[in-house]
Amino acid sequence: MNKNTVLGWATFIMILMGLLLIGLGAFRYSEISGWGFAATGVGFLANAWVFNALKGRV
């Protein structure tokens, strides 16, 4: 595996985890902790976006 493949898999895993955390925050935890789960999920999606942007440049 080269660097681009590793970044592609990292992006995929980060997107899955981000969506999972947002889903947990929306459906499982409806109180204050849900906001934290959703905010962390958005952070994971932002990290995945950065990894995807770096894929061709590293």
Side-chain angles (χ1 to χ4, degrees):
M1 283 200 305
N2 59 8
K3 292 179 279 189
N4 288 333
T5 306
V6 171
L7 282 173
W9 276 107
T11 301
F12 179 69
I13 292 169
M14 294 285 274
I15 288 172
L16 282 180
M17 285 301 298
L19 293 175
L20 177 81
L21 286 170
I22 290 172
L24 278 174
F27 298 114
R28 175 71 170 93
Y29 300 106
S30 60
E31 298 172 359
I32 298 298
S33 60
W35 288 99
F37 275 97
T40 306
V42 170
F44 267 83
L45 292 179
N47 253 349
W49 183 30
V50 170
F51 282 173
N52 192 28
L54 288 175
K55 199 162 46 173
R57 291 170 170 58
V58 177

